[in-house]
Amino acid sequence: MGSTDLEEVGNGNGNGLPRLPRLGEKAKYRRMDAEENEEEGEGEVSATGRSRAAQSRRYVFACAVFASLNNVLLGYDVGVMSGCILFIQKDLHITEVQQEVLVGCLSIISLLGSLAGGKTSDAIGRKWTMGLAAIVFQTGAAIMACAPSFLVLMIGRLLAGVGIGFGVMIAPVYIAEISPAVARGSLTSFPEIFINIGILLGYISNYAFSGLSEHINWRIMLGVGILPSLFVGIALFVIPESPRWLVMQKRLDKARSVLMKINESDEDVEQRLAEIEKAASFTGVEGYEEKAVWHELLSPSPAVRRMMIAGFGIQCFQQVTGIDATVYYSPTIFKDAGIPSDSKLLAATVAVGFTKTLFILVAIFLIDRVGRKPLLYVSTIGMTACLFSLGLSLSLLKHEVFSTKVGIGVAILAVCGNVAFFSIGIGPICWVLSSEIFPLRLRAQASALGAVGSRVSSGLIAMSFLSVCRILSVGGTFFLFSLISATSVVFVFKCVPETKGKTLEQIEMLFQNGIEWQRGEVELGDVEHLVQRN
């Protein structure tokens, strides 16, 4: 790459940072949905140009869908276990502590998959890491379905957890690296959509097979989870490797070939390739090329520290507000509210699954229009209100302040409201932010570390929920969750930036210059001005 090319992607001050558009200056490559050329006087885009733009959009969309298939596995496991645990307890005669361990250990053990996934995806590539995740999960699911005892069931559960750890970590990273900036938020939300679809399928499976004998029904429920992973094998022959990973491996011709499929013009391809090359080789003033990735994460610069606080914090808050406890133990919650039979409990959880899935679809249409931060405010404030209402209704029911019928209605409404607000904001945006705020050299490993925080938080909540409920009551436990959710509102205000519409390289610039997020969306020209002053 010649000096002229470097000047086009550099910022002109010799620090090796990518050049950002000045305030009012248009980017050199067009938005994916643009219908006119940016150069004044060029007129309408040709039919060929429109055709290529449409093809690139469809291709990126298909890649995002296929890359998200592994997340169905996590969602299905979360949903189906909420019903399975009722029948496993009766069939294998396990204790309450064993129930908590069985439910929560998957989240804890998945951190091994997430930690290994970062290194594996840098070594063998993003898409083949997805294939490995599917194979490991299939093995675990098959063992669980055939388990004759609690010990064998746990072995299968641990394997499934490792596979899920691989899958949840790699999908957002891959999608962020192939998506255009204008659609990255929506596309990177796909893994969360597929988790919700999986949860809904798990609930439906519970309800559909609950009429079988207690020795058979839970085995079929768990065994059905193998089916989604079979489609991952097909996906590997359809999706390309991440162009950013290919650049890191010095396979520039292959990276250019992939970029040709996901961009609308040759000019866009060369522009993005130049930016990726610059990001991949960026050394900065501290000699980043000489620093190991993990050393940089453990001894971060101020910019990386800000990234880690935002990324890891949002991952932990996503779980410590109790969403997995709500989903895993929704039958327990509804039983505490007064619903008597197992079939009615499972029917109520299906309503929760439909609500969760519906509102994640709403988030897809809003995340790149409204922005990340406004949706996070709506989500965290709404969850706080619903969690408080759920705790209040369960507490009043316990003291017989109002009738069981009214209490059941309020409880179902509060649970559905909680999952709805979760799905419209912090649920999908957690993964979007974690996959887009870290620089290329750290993205896979940092996302893996963030997924570890999410999985550990989820596991601790799931494994302690029944015990905490025994101490505080179910209502009191949800009062505690509402307090944590209120804290997350403050965290969003203080630590989370608005990244809507910015390229991955531009987002890196925001963190490097310590822009105050509370001021709202930052003009890119202001960022460039600050960079040049430094």
Side-chain angles (χ1 to χ4, degrees):
M1 189 165 62
S3 60
T4 303
D5 297 327
L6 287 174
E7 289 172 0
E8 291 178 355
V9 298
N11 67 358
N13 65 356
N15 62 6
L17 301 178
R19 178 185 182 277
L20 300 176
R22 295 182 184 278
L23 185 61
E25 175 187 353
K26 295 185 177 180
K28 291 189 177 181
Y29 48 90
R30 290 175 285 120
R31 294 168 61 96
M32 292 290 291
D33 59 349
E35 296 182 354
E36 295 184 351
N37 286 321
E38 290 181 356
E39 296 297 332
E40 192 175 22
E42 286 189 9
E44 296 184 354
V45 178
S46 66
T48 303
R50 287 196 299 271
S51 176
R52 178 168 174 177
Q55 288 177 356
S56 66
R57 286 195 295 270
R58 287 195 296 267
Y59 188 74
V60 172
F61 180 87
C63 288
V65 169
F66 281 121
S68 302
L69 289 176
N70 266 323
N71 292 70
V72 175
L73 306 178
L74 173 60
Y76 184 83
D77 183 273
V78 171
V80 81
M81 190 53 70
S82 67
C84 280
I85 198 67
L86 300 175
F87 306 109
I88 292 173
Q89 191 276 329
K90 295 175 182 178
D91 184 29
L92 300 182
H93 306 290
I94 62 176
T95 66
E96 185 177 272
V97 173
Q98 287 175 319
Q99 290 181 54
E100 289 182 317
V101 172
L102 181 64
V103 170
C105 72
L106 181 135
S107 294
I108 297 293
I109 202 67
S110 66
L111 69 86
L112 298 178
S114 294
L115 281 173
K119 187 69 174 177
T120 302
S121 66
D122 280 343
I124 67 174
R126 307 327 192 199
K127 80 170 187 175
W128 294 113
T129 301
M130 299 177 202
L132 179 61
I135 292 171
V136 175
F137 180 86
Q138 282 178 328
T139 304
I143 292 173
M144 285 193 293
C146 301
S149 65
F150 178 73
L151 178 61
V152 178
L153 185 63
M154 282 296 299
I155 292 172
R157 187 83 169 147
L158 297 179
L159 278 174
V162 173
I164 285 175
F166 276 113
V168 299
M169 169 263 147
I170 195 58
V173 172
Y174 174 84
I175 296 171
E177 291 185 348
I178 66 165
S179 302
V182 70
R184 190 178 59 250
S186 295
L187 294 173
T188 313
S189 301
F190 278 24
E192 184 67 20
I193 293 178
F194 280 72
I195 288 175
N196 283 274
I197 291 173
I199 290 173
L200 178 58
L201 291 176
Y203 284 158
I204 293 173
S205 178
N206 286 155
Y207 187 72
F209 299 115
S210 62
L212 301 177
S213 71
E214 293 172 356
H215 181 66
I216 295 295
N217 55 11
W218 64 269
R219 300 178 188 276
I220 295 177
M221 293 173 189
L222 292 174
V224 170
I226 297 174
L227 298 178
S229 63
L230 298 177
F231 293 99
V232 177
I234 300 174
L236 297 179
F237 294 97
V238 176
I239 64 176
E241 186 52 84
S242 161
R244 287 176 168 85
W245 182 82
L246 292 169
V247 170
M248 290 173 65
Q249 302 299 310
K250 311 299 183 185
R251 297 164 61 181
L252 299 184
D253 290 340
K254 184 64 176 176
R256 182 179 284 105
S257 175
V258 175
L259 288 171
M260 291 287 289
K261 296 178 181 179
I262 63 178
N263 287 276
E264 6 178 324
S265 72
D266 293 344
E267 182 183 356
D268 292 355
V269 169
E270 296 305 320
Q271 175 76 13
R272 291 192 66 181
L273 184 61
E275 290 180 349
I276 295 169
E277 284 188 85
K278 193 69 176 178
S281 62
F282 171 56
T283 59
V285 296
E286 297 184 17
Y288 283 124
E289 285 184 328
E290 300 175 1
K291 296 176 69 176
V293 169
W294 282 108
H295 176 72
E296 186 172 358
L297 290 174
L298 295 175
S299 300
S301 65
V304 173
R305 185 179 298 111
R306 283 189 286 268
M307 294 173 187
M308 293 174 68
I309 291 172
F312 303 164
I314 200 71
Q315 287 272 15
C316 291
F317 271 114
Q318 186 202 46
Q319 294 300 328
V320 295
T321 49
I323 187 62
D324 275 5
T326 304
V327 174
Y328 273 129
Y329 294 108
S330 52
T332 301
I333 296 168
F334 293 139
K335 179 180 287 187
D336 195 71
I339 299 178
S341 68
D342 287 347
S343 60
K344 290 182 179 179
L345 288 173
L346 297 178
T349 60
V350 172
V352 175
F354 271 112
T355 303
K356 202 169 188 299
T357 304
L358 174 64
F359 279 87
I360 191 67
L361 297 177
V362 173
I364 285 296
F365 292 102
L366 296 179
I367 193 168
D368 281 318
R369 292 173 172 81
V370 176
R372 282 61 156 159
K373 202 159 181 174
L375 287 181
L376 282 174
Y377 283 135
V378 171
S379 176
T380 50
I381 293 172
M383 288 171 61
T384 301
C386 289
L387 289 167
F388 183 83
S389 299
L390 179 59
L392 184 62
S393 66
L394 294 175
S395 298
L396 293 177
L397 265 174
K398 187 176 181 180
H399 293 87
E400 301 180 351
V401 174
F402 46 63
S403 68
T404 300
K405 187 174 182 179
V406 173
I408 291 173
V410 173
I412 292 176
L413 185 62
V415 171
C416 288
N418 182 52
V419 298
F421 281 114
F422 176 88
S423 292
I424 206 171
I426 197 170
I429 292 174
C430 163
W431 299 104
V432 173
L433 283 173
S434 297
S435 62
E436 66 185 4
I437 62 177
F438 294 103
L440 178 60
R441 67 188 179 278
L442 303 177
R443 188 168 299 134
Q445 304 281 25
S447 296
L449 200 56
V452 168
S454 171
R455 294 298 87 208
V456 169
S457 301
S458 171
L460 292 176
I461 294 296
M463 293 177 71
S464 62
F465 180 77
L466 295 178
S467 299
V468 174
C469 286
R470 196 183 310 112
I471 297 171
L472 300 180
S473 78
V474 179
T477 302
F478 281 97
F479 280 132
L480 179 60
F481 284 145
S482 70
L483 180 62
I484 297 172
S485 183
T487 307
S488 71
V489 180
V490 180
F491 175 82
V492 169
F493 177 73
K494 291 289 186 180
C495 302
V496 178
E498 178 58 74
T499 58
K500 181 187 73 170
K502 297 174 177 64
T503 68
L504 297 179
E505 290 72 29
Q506 290 166 347
I507 293 170
E508 183 178 352
M509 295 301 98
L510 294 179
F511 282 97
Q512 289 193 7
N513 291 282
I515 302 301
E516 294 186 10
W517 318 127
Q518 301 96 298
R519 296 188 309 179
E521 185 166 347
V522 181
E523 292 289 350
L524 295 180
D526 294 340
V527 178
E528 183 188 23
H529 177 64
L530 286 171
V531 172
Q532 291 177 340
R533 279 172 50 189
N534 293 335

